[in-house]
Amino acid sequence: MEHFTLLLAIVIATALVFDFTNGFHDTANAMATTISTGALKPKTAVAMSAVLNLVGAFLSVEVAKTISGGLINESGIRTEVIFAALVGAIIWNLFTWLLGLPSSSSHALFGGLIGATLMSVGTSGVNGGVVITKVLIPALAAPLVAGLAAMLATRLTYRVSGRTDEKATAKGFRAGQIASAGLVSLAHGTNDAQKTMGVITLALVTGGVLSPGSNPPLWVIVSAGTAIALGTYLGGWRIIKTMGTGLTDLRPQQGFAAQTSAATVILASSHLGFSLSTTQSCSGAVMGAGLGRKGGVVRWSTATRMFIAWGLTLPAAGLVAAGAEFLTGHGTWGVTVVAVLLVAVSGAIWLASRRRPVDHTNVTGADVVPVNAGVDAGASGVTVMGLGSVDAATAGLTTTIPAPVALPNPPAVAGESARTATV
């Protein structure tokens, strides 16, 4: 461990910070639909997701090996390059989180690595074939495959459950959602935690601590899994709100279909070593489930913003990382300046988020209205002051008692005049 320098320690710490942002940025992948349909309470959902993310981190290292030994050439890469790459990925993650956009943490990391490497050593440092086959092609295919699978699964579930009691069916699918959400969380830990493992392993190789081609050490697996689990537990409430209620309106059957489809795609790609975006897979599945229900809709304005963010992620993170690498290439003062800028930008984004905070109390989009205020009968999950959370359709009901039907007068008793009854 004689090569374990201060710079290497800073890079490892920065990698774990990225892993932490990856956790709260991608919590929505597993739990947005589960929360929006009421299958689990928000805090319970993120706690469950955190535990399963940690477990998933121990299931495979195939994706980690793709990053540490495939995406860029290890020879000639300095430790500062990895630091610059992480800076680009973290800033893009925080920026899209502030906007509530479910962009890809994975592509932010890839863009950072590619941009910093290009600035440092040029095109010879990037393996173009690996970028195309294991990054770009999965990026295009994953949301399409997951979306198509979710749409077909949604139609199938409605056809199978069409003749059963609706309340009983919804209850059963909510239970299924909990199981499928757990599967997505497990898959997310298996795929995304490995990316940080791969980056730390790459840093250890460039620092001379590990030999090229080495697998992640156990302490790297444990630290990466813990960091992503902690980030997941905090909950990326802004993105959960976008995916759970801003993209489409999901019912339990759709939520179950979306999560099962996404988990299948993610686990299959992890097994093959494809470092795809879990965010894009889950978002595609949510849109597919929205289109799979008769009368279901997708809010294409929100979806368009997501598509733009997806397209910008790789080049934007790469551009920031290239700028950071330009500074770090000037030595210690450059690394110091980049570190200070990272802290300053992160702090500014956090302060901006406090202007309109989103947390577990308002993540479902509920608004507080006075008891006597009119309520749109098409809304749901409205919180009425003093009464707690009630269904909007119920809150907006008024009861009208029909006038009594006039009955024929009974025969008048002799000597008595008819009297009128007053109620």
Side-chain angles (χ1 to χ4, degrees), residues 361-397:
T361 62
N362 62 355
V363 70
T364 57
D367 295 318
V368 178
V369 298
V371 174
N372 295 325
V375 181
D376 179 7
S380 61
V382 175
T383 302
V384 180
M385 287 183 178
L387 297 179
S389 180
V390 297
D391 187 87
T394 305
L397 289 177

PDB file of all heavy atoms in Angstrom, residues 361-397:
ATOM      1  N   THR A 361     -43.404  14.177   2.584  1.00  0.00           N
ATOM      2  CA  THR A 361     -44.736  14.672   2.930  1.00  0.00           C
ATOM      3  C   THR A 361     -45.507  15.197   1.724  1.00  0.00           C
ATOM      4  O   THR A 361     -46.737  15.272   1.761  1.00  0.00           O
ATOM      5  CB  THR A 361     -44.637  15.790   3.979  1.00  0.00           C
ATOM      6  OG1 THR A 361     -43.887  16.892   3.427  1.00  0.00           O
ATOM      7  CG2 THR A 361     -43.944  15.288   5.233  1.00  0.00           C
ATOM      8  N   ASN A 362     -44.813  15.597   0.659  1.00  0.00           N
ATOM      9  CA  ASN A 362     -45.510  16.145  -0.502  1.00  0.00           C
ATOM     10  C   ASN A 362     -45.074  15.512  -1.811  1.00  0.00           C
ATOM     11  O   ASN A 362     -45.335  16.054  -2.883  1.00  0.00           O
ATOM     12  CB  ASN A 362     -45.312  17.667  -0.570  1.00  0.00           C
ATOM     13  CG  ASN A 362     -43.850  18.065  -0.730  1.00  0.00           C
ATOM     14  OD1 ASN A 362     -42.963  17.217  -0.707  1.00  0.00           O
ATOM     15  ND2 ASN A 362     -43.595  19.353  -0.866  1.00  0.00           N
ATOM     16  N   VAL A 363     -44.436  14.343  -1.740  1.00  0.00           N
ATOM     17  CA  VAL A 363     -43.896  13.721  -2.940  1.00  0.00           C
ATOM     18  C   VAL A 363     -44.988  13.207  -3.868  1.00  0.00           C
ATOM     19  O   VAL A 363     -44.794  13.093  -5.078  1.00  0.00           O
ATOM     20  CB  VAL A 363     -42.940  12.571  -2.555  1.00  0.00           C
ATOM     21  CG1 VAL A 363     -43.714  11.399  -1.954  1.00  0.00           C
ATOM     22  CG2 VAL A 363     -42.134  12.115  -3.764  1.00  0.00           C
ATOM     23  N   THR A 364     -46.176  12.910  -3.324  1.00  0.00           N
ATOM     24  CA  THR A 364     -47.258  12.410  -4.172  1.00  0.00           C
ATOM     25  C   THR A 364     -48.040  13.521  -4.829  1.00  0.00           C
ATOM     26  O   THR A 364     -49.035  13.276  -5.511  1.00  0.00           O
ATOM     27  CB  THR A 364     -48.226  11.530  -3.355  1.00  0.00           C
ATOM     28  OG1 THR A 364     -48.722  12.290  -2.249  1.00  0.00           O
ATOM     29  CG2 THR A 364     -47.526  10.293  -2.862  1.00  0.00           C
ATOM     30  N   GLY A 365     -47.651  14.782  -4.578  1.00  0.00           N
ATOM     31  CA  GLY A 365     -48.316  15.899  -5.222  1.00  0.00           C
ATOM     32  C   GLY A 365     -49.541  16.378  -4.513  1.00  0.00           C
ATOM     33  O   GLY A 365     -50.335  17.138  -5.050  1.00  0.00           O
ATOM     34  N   ALA A 366     -49.747  15.946  -3.252  1.00  0.00           N
ATOM     35  CA  ALA A 366     -50.925  16.353  -2.511  1.00  0.00           C
ATOM     36  C   ALA A 366     -50.836  17.815  -2.136  1.00  0.00           C
ATOM     37  O   ALA A 366     -49.785  18.316  -1.772  1.00  0.00           O
ATOM     38  CB  ALA A 366     -51.062  15.505  -1.246  1.00  0.00           C
ATOM     39  N   ASP A 367     -51.923  18.513  -2.212  1.00  0.00           N
ATOM     40  CA  ASP A 367     -52.000  19.908  -1.823  1.00  0.00           C
ATOM     41  C   ASP A 367     -52.927  20.033  -0.625  1.00  0.00           C
ATOM     42  O   ASP A 367     -53.869  19.274  -0.471  1.00  0.00           O
ATOM     43  CB  ASP A 367     -52.553  20.777  -2.956  1.00  0.00           C
ATOM     44  CG  ASP A 367     -51.619  20.788  -4.148  1.00  0.00           C
ATOM     45  OD1 ASP A 367     -50.410  20.875  -3.915  1.00  0.00           O
ATOM     46  OD2 ASP A 367     -52.122  20.701  -5.279  1.00  0.00           O
ATOM     47  N   VAL A 368     -52.646  21.012   0.224  1.00  0.00           N
ATOM     48  CA  VAL A 368     -53.476  21.244   1.389  1.00  0.00           C
ATOM     49  C   VAL A 368     -54.529  22.280   1.039  1.00  0.00           C
ATOM     50  O   VAL A 368     -54.214  23.362   0.570  1.00  0.00           O
ATOM     51  CB  VAL A 368     -52.627  21.733   2.582  1.00  0.00           C
ATOM     52  CG1 VAL A 368     -53.511  22.009   3.772  1.00  0.00           C
ATOM     53  CG2 VAL A 368     -51.587  20.691   2.931  1.00  0.00           C
ATOM     54  N   VAL A 369     -55.797  21.935   1.261  1.00  0.00           N
ATOM     55  CA  VAL A 369     -56.889  22.834   0.927  1.00  0.00           C
ATOM     56  C   VAL A 369     -57.805  22.964   2.123  1.00  0.00           C
ATOM     57  O   VAL A 369     -57.903  22.066   2.954  1.00  0.00           O
ATOM     58  CB  VAL A 369     -57.696  22.296  -0.278  1.00  0.00           C
ATOM     59  CG1 VAL A 369     -56.844  22.207  -1.502  1.00  0.00           C
ATOM     60  CG2 VAL A 369     -58.308  20.939   0.033  1.00  0.00           C
ATOM     61  N   PRO A 370     -58.503  24.094   2.269  1.00  0.00           N
ATOM     62  CA  PRO A 370     -59.456  24.230   3.351  1.00  0.00           C
ATOM     63  C   PRO A 370     -60.584  23.220   3.211  1.00  0.00           C
ATOM     64  O   PRO A 370     -60.902  22.757   2.123  1.00  0.00           O
ATOM     65  CB  PRO A 370     -59.974  25.673   3.176  1.00  0.00           C
ATOM     66  CG  PRO A 370     -58.938  26.348   2.345  1.00  0.00           C
ATOM     67  CD  PRO A 370     -58.349  25.315   1.481  1.00  0.00           C
ATOM     68  N   VAL A 371     -61.230  22.905   4.360  1.00  0.00           N
ATOM     69  CA  VAL A 371     -62.271  21.886   4.353  1.00  0.00           C
ATOM     70  C   VAL A 371     -63.397  22.260   3.411  1.00  0.00           C
ATOM     71  O   VAL A 371     -63.938  21.428   2.696  1.00  0.00           O
ATOM     72  CB  VAL A 371     -62.822  21.686   5.788  1.00  0.00           C
ATOM     73  CG1 VAL A 371     -64.012  20.743   5.767  1.00  0.00           C
ATOM     74  CG2 VAL A 371     -61.738  21.152   6.684  1.00  0.00           C
ATOM     75  N   ASN A 372     -63.801  23.530   3.376  1.00  0.00           N
ATOM     76  CA  ASN A 372     -64.945  23.938   2.591  1.00  0.00           C
ATOM     77  C   ASN A 372     -64.587  24.333   1.159  1.00  0.00           C
ATOM     78  O   ASN A 372     -65.436  24.790   0.412  1.00  0.00           O
ATOM     79  CB  ASN A 372     -65.642  25.133   3.266  1.00  0.00           C
ATOM     80  CG  ASN A 372     -66.224  24.734   4.604  1.00  0.00           C
ATOM     81  OD1 ASN A 372     -66.685  23.607   4.762  1.00  0.00           O
ATOM     82  ND2 ASN A 372     -66.198  25.643   5.567  1.00  0.00           N
ATOM     83  N   ALA A 373     -63.308  24.176   0.809  1.00  0.00           N
ATOM     84  CA  ALA A 373     -62.905  24.576  -0.539  1.00  0.00           C
ATOM     85  C   ALA A 373     -63.388  23.550  -1.541  1.00  0.00           C
ATOM     86  O   ALA A 373     -63.503  22.372  -1.251  1.00  0.00           O
ATOM     87  CB  ALA A 373     -61.386  24.720  -0.634  1.00  0.00           C
ATOM     88  N   GLY A 374     -63.666  24.014  -2.760  1.00  0.00           N
ATOM     89  CA  GLY A 374     -64.059  23.076  -3.805  1.00  0.00           C
ATOM     90  C   GLY A 374     -62.878  22.228  -4.207  1.00  0.00           C
ATOM     91  O   GLY A 374     -61.749  22.675  -4.235  1.00  0.00           O
ATOM     92  N   VAL A 375     -63.153  20.989  -4.557  1.00  0.00           N
ATOM     93  CA  VAL A 375     -62.105  20.050  -4.928  1.00  0.00           C
ATOM     94  C   VAL A 375     -62.405  19.494  -6.300  1.00  0.00           C
ATOM     95  O   VAL A 375     -63.538  19.129  -6.588  1.00  0.00           O
ATOM     96  CB  VAL A 375     -62.019  18.899  -3.904  1.00  0.00           C
ATOM     97  CG1 VAL A 375     -60.922  17.944  -4.292  1.00  0.00           C
ATOM     98  CG2 VAL A 375     -61.798  19.443  -2.510  1.00  0.00           C
ATOM     99  N   ASP A 376     -61.395  19.465  -7.132  1.00  0.00           N
ATOM    100  CA  ASP A 376     -61.567  18.893  -8.456  1.00  0.00           C
ATOM    101  C   ASP A 376     -61.794  17.405  -8.325  1.00  0.00           C
ATOM    102  O   ASP A 376     -60.983  16.670  -7.773  1.00  0.00           O
ATOM    103  CB  ASP A 376     -60.296  19.171  -9.279  1.00  0.00           C
ATOM    104  CG  ASP A 376     -60.369  18.577 -10.671  1.00  0.00           C
ATOM    105  OD1 ASP A 376     -61.443  18.079 -11.024  1.00  0.00           O
ATOM    106  OD2 ASP A 376     -59.353  18.646 -11.380  1.00  0.00           O
ATOM    107  N   ALA A 377     -62.897  16.942  -8.856  1.00  0.00           N
ATOM    108  CA  ALA A 377     -63.245  15.530  -8.708  1.00  0.00           C
ATOM    109  C   ALA A 377     -62.289  14.618  -9.443  1.00  0.00           C
ATOM    110  O   ALA A 377     -62.254  13.432  -9.192  1.00  0.00           O
ATOM    111  CB  ALA A 377     -64.675  15.290  -9.237  1.00  0.00           C
ATOM    112  N   GLY A 378     -61.475  15.149 -10.335  1.00  0.00           N
ATOM    113  CA  GLY A 378     -60.530  14.307 -11.066  1.00  0.00           C
ATOM    114  C   GLY A 378     -59.220  14.151 -10.355  1.00  0.00           C
ATOM    115  O   GLY A 378     -58.379  13.382 -10.738  1.00  0.00           O
ATOM    116  N   ALA A 379     -58.989  14.910  -9.255  1.00  0.00           N
ATOM    117  CA  ALA A 379     -57.720  14.809  -8.537  1.00  0.00           C
ATOM    118  C   ALA A 379     -57.788  13.662  -7.557  1.00  0.00           C
ATOM    119  O   ALA A 379     -58.826  13.093  -7.301  1.00  0.00           O
ATOM    120  CB  ALA A 379     -57.434  16.120  -7.810  1.00  0.00           C
ATOM    121  N   SER A 380     -56.656  13.342  -6.965  1.00  0.00           N
ATOM    122  CA  SER A 380     -56.641  12.281  -5.969  1.00  0.00           C
ATOM    123  C   SER A 380     -55.575  12.584  -4.957  1.00  0.00           C
ATOM    124  O   SER A 380     -54.635  13.306  -5.210  1.00  0.00           O
ATOM    125  CB  SER A 380     -56.357  10.923  -6.634  1.00  0.00           C
ATOM    126  OG  SER A 380     -55.109  10.944  -7.255  1.00  0.00           O
ATOM    127  N   GLY A 381     -55.705  11.999  -3.745  1.00  0.00           N
ATOM    128  CA  GLY A 381     -54.697  12.147  -2.711  1.00  0.00           C
ATOM    129  C   GLY A 381     -54.643  13.537  -2.144  1.00  0.00           C
ATOM    130  O   GLY A 381     -53.590  14.011  -1.780  1.00  0.00           O
ATOM    131  N   VAL A 382     -55.776  14.277  -2.038  1.00  0.00           N
ATOM    132  CA  VAL A 382     -55.767  15.631  -1.504  1.00  0.00           C
ATOM    133  C   VAL A 382     -55.836  15.572   0.009  1.00  0.00           C
ATOM    134  O   VAL A 382     -56.573  14.783   0.586  1.00  0.00           O
ATOM    135  CB  VAL A 382     -56.969  16.428  -2.063  1.00  0.00           C
ATOM    136  CG1 VAL A 382     -57.030  17.790  -1.420  1.00  0.00           C
ATOM    137  CG2 VAL A 382     -56.850  16.561  -3.574  1.00  0.00           C
ATOM    138  N   THR A 383     -55.039  16.401   0.673  1.00  0.00           N
ATOM    139  CA  THR A 383     -55.033  16.452   2.115  1.00  0.00           C
ATOM    140  C   THR A 383     -55.952  17.579   2.567  1.00  0.00           C
ATOM    141  O   THR A 383     -55.732  18.731   2.224  1.00  0.00           O
ATOM    142  CB  THR A 383     -53.610  16.689   2.646  1.00  0.00           C
ATOM    143  OG1 THR A 383     -52.788  15.645   2.173  1.00  0.00           O
ATOM    144  CG2 THR A 383     -53.607  16.723   4.157  1.00  0.00           C
ATOM    145  N   VAL A 384     -56.961  17.255   3.322  1.00  0.00           N
ATOM    146  CA  VAL A 384     -57.921  18.237   3.807  1.00  0.00           C
ATOM    147  C   VAL A 384     -57.562  18.605   5.229  1.00  0.00           C
ATOM    148  O   VAL A 384     -57.311  17.742   6.062  1.00  0.00           O
ATOM    149  CB  VAL A 384     -59.356  17.671   3.745  1.00  0.00           C
ATOM    150  CG1 VAL A 384     -60.348  18.699   4.250  1.00  0.00           C
ATOM    151  CG2 VAL A 384     -59.700  17.270   2.320  1.00  0.00           C
ATOM    152  N   MET A 385     -57.493  19.901   5.506  1.00  0.00           N
ATOM    153  CA  MET A 385     -57.081  20.358   6.824  1.00  0.00           C
ATOM    154  C   MET A 385     -57.957  19.733   7.907  1.00  0.00           C
ATOM    155  O   MET A 385     -59.180  19.814   7.861  1.00  0.00           O
ATOM    156  CB  MET A 385     -57.193  21.878   6.906  1.00  0.00           C
ATOM    157  CG  MET A 385     -56.111  22.614   6.115  1.00  0.00           C
ATOM    158  SD  MET A 385     -56.265  24.389   6.337  1.00  0.00           S
ATOM    159  CE  MET A 385     -54.866  24.940   5.385  1.00  0.00           C
ATOM    160  N   GLY A 386     -57.288  19.137   8.864  1.00  0.00           N
ATOM    161  CA  GLY A 386     -57.994  18.583  10.006  1.00  0.00           C
ATOM    162  C   GLY A 386     -58.532  17.187   9.783  1.00  0.00           C
ATOM    163  O   GLY A 386     -58.976  16.526  10.708  1.00  0.00           O
ATOM    164  N   LEU A 387     -58.521  16.707   8.528  1.00  0.00           N
ATOM    165  CA  LEU A 387     -59.078  15.393   8.261  1.00  0.00           C
ATOM    166  C   LEU A 387     -58.051  14.403   7.748  1.00  0.00           C
ATOM    167  O   LEU A 387     -58.363  13.237   7.588  1.00  0.00           O
ATOM    168  CB  LEU A 387     -60.220  15.510   7.223  1.00  0.00           C
ATOM    169  CG  LEU A 387     -61.437  16.329   7.664  1.00  0.00           C
ATOM    170  CD1 LEU A 387     -62.454  16.361   6.538  1.00  0.00           C
ATOM    171  CD2 LEU A 387     -62.063  15.735   8.909  1.00  0.00           C
ATOM    172  N   GLY A 388     -56.843  14.894   7.426  1.00  0.00           N
ATOM    173  CA  GLY A 388     -55.826  14.002   6.902  1.00  0.00           C
ATOM    174  C   GLY A 388     -56.027  13.778   5.420  1.00  0.00           C
ATOM    175  O   GLY A 388     -56.743  14.509   4.744  1.00  0.00           O
ATOM    176  N   SER A 389     -55.440  12.705   4.896  1.00  0.00           N
ATOM    177  CA  SER A 389     -55.473  12.442   3.470  1.00  0.00           C
ATOM    178  C   SER A 389     -56.744  11.701   3.108  1.00  0.00           C
ATOM    179  O   SER A 389     -57.047  10.659   3.668  1.00  0.00           O
ATOM    180  CB  SER A 389     -54.256  11.611   3.063  1.00  0.00           C
ATOM    181  OG  SER A 389     -54.286  11.349   1.692  1.00  0.00           O
ATOM    182  N   VAL A 390     -57.511  12.260   2.207  1.00  0.00           N
ATOM    183  CA  VAL A 390     -58.735  11.621   1.746  1.00  0.00           C
ATOM    184  C   VAL A 390     -58.767  11.672   0.241  1.00  0.00           C
ATOM    185  O   VAL A 390     -58.074  12.443  -0.394  1.00  0.00           O
ATOM    186  CB  VAL A 390     -59.999  12.335   2.305  1.00  0.00           C
ATOM    187  CG1 VAL A 390     -60.049  12.259   3.805  1.00  0.00           C
ATOM    188  CG2 VAL A 390     -60.070  13.775   1.842  1.00  0.00           C
ATOM    189  N   ASP A 391     -59.574  10.835  -0.349  1.00  0.00           N
ATOM    190  CA  ASP A 391     -59.714  10.846  -1.790  1.00  0.00           C
ATOM    191  C   ASP A 391     -60.472  12.085  -2.227  1.00  0.00           C
ATOM    192  O   ASP A 391     -61.475  12.453  -1.635  1.00  0.00           O
ATOM    193  CB  ASP A 391     -60.458   9.587  -2.236  1.00  0.00           C
ATOM    194  CG  ASP A 391     -60.478   9.476  -3.739  1.00  0.00           C
ATOM    195  OD1 ASP A 391     -59.524   8.925  -4.297  1.00  0.00           O
ATOM    196  OD2 ASP A 391     -61.461   9.937  -4.327  1.00  0.00           O
ATOM    197  N   ALA A 392     -59.976  12.700  -3.294  1.00  0.00           N
ATOM    198  CA  ALA A 392     -60.556  13.966  -3.710  1.00  0.00           C
ATOM    199  C   ALA A 392     -62.004  13.808  -4.132  1.00  0.00           C
ATOM    200  O   ALA A 392     -62.827  14.691  -3.932  1.00  0.00           O
ATOM    201  CB  ALA A 392     -59.754  14.553  -4.867  1.00  0.00           C
ATOM    202  N   ALA A 393     -62.298  12.665  -4.754  1.00  0.00           N
ATOM    203  CA  ALA A 393     -63.673  12.470  -5.181  1.00  0.00           C
ATOM    204  C   ALA A 393     -64.607  12.459  -3.987  1.00  0.00           C
ATOM    205  O   ALA A 393     -65.722  12.969  -4.024  1.00  0.00           O
ATOM    206  CB  ALA A 393     -63.791  11.173  -5.972  1.00  0.00           C
ATOM    207  N   THR A 394     -64.121  11.872  -2.850  1.00  0.00           N
ATOM    208  CA  THR A 394     -64.929  11.849  -1.640  1.00  0.00           C
ATOM    209  C   THR A 394     -65.011  13.224  -1.020  1.00  0.00           C
ATOM    210  O   THR A 394     -66.056  13.651  -0.541  1.00  0.00           O
ATOM    211  CB  THR A 394     -64.316  10.862  -0.624  1.00  0.00           C
ATOM    212  OG1 THR A 394     -64.192   9.598  -1.255  1.00  0.00           O
ATOM    213  CG2 THR A 394     -65.183  10.741   0.608  1.00  0.00           C
ATOM    214  N   ALA A 395     -63.856  13.957  -1.051  1.00  0.00           N
ATOM    215  CA  ALA A 395     -63.843  15.273  -0.429  1.00  0.00           C
ATOM    216  C   ALA A 395     -64.775  16.239  -1.134  1.00  0.00           C
ATOM    217  O   ALA A 395     -65.292  17.174  -0.550  1.00  0.00           O
ATOM    218  CB  ALA A 395     -62.428  15.841  -0.433  1.00  0.00           C
ATOM    219  N   GLY A 396     -65.016  16.023  -2.424  1.00  0.00           N
ATOM    220  CA  GLY A 396     -65.811  16.966  -3.165  1.00  0.00           C
ATOM    221  C   GLY A 396     -67.293  16.642  -3.200  1.00  0.00           C
ATOM    222  O   GLY A 396     -68.074  17.346  -3.821  1.00  0.00           O
ATOM    223  N   LEU A 397     -67.713  15.544  -2.539  1.00  0.00           N
ATOM    224  CA  LEU A 397     -69.111  15.143  -2.607  1.00  0.00           C
ATOM    225  C   LEU A 397     -69.977  16.013  -1.716  1.00  0.00           C
ATOM    226  O   LEU A 397     -69.595  16.389  -0.620  1.00  0.00           O
ATOM    227  CB  LEU A 397     -69.262  13.675  -2.167  1.00  0.00           C
ATOM    228  CG  LEU A 397     -68.719  12.618  -3.125  1.00  0.00           C
ATOM    229  CD1 LEU A 397     -68.892  11.247  -2.497  1.00  0.00           C
ATOM    230  CD2 LEU A 397     -69.450  12.672  -4.459  1.00  0.00           C
TER     231      LEU A 397
END
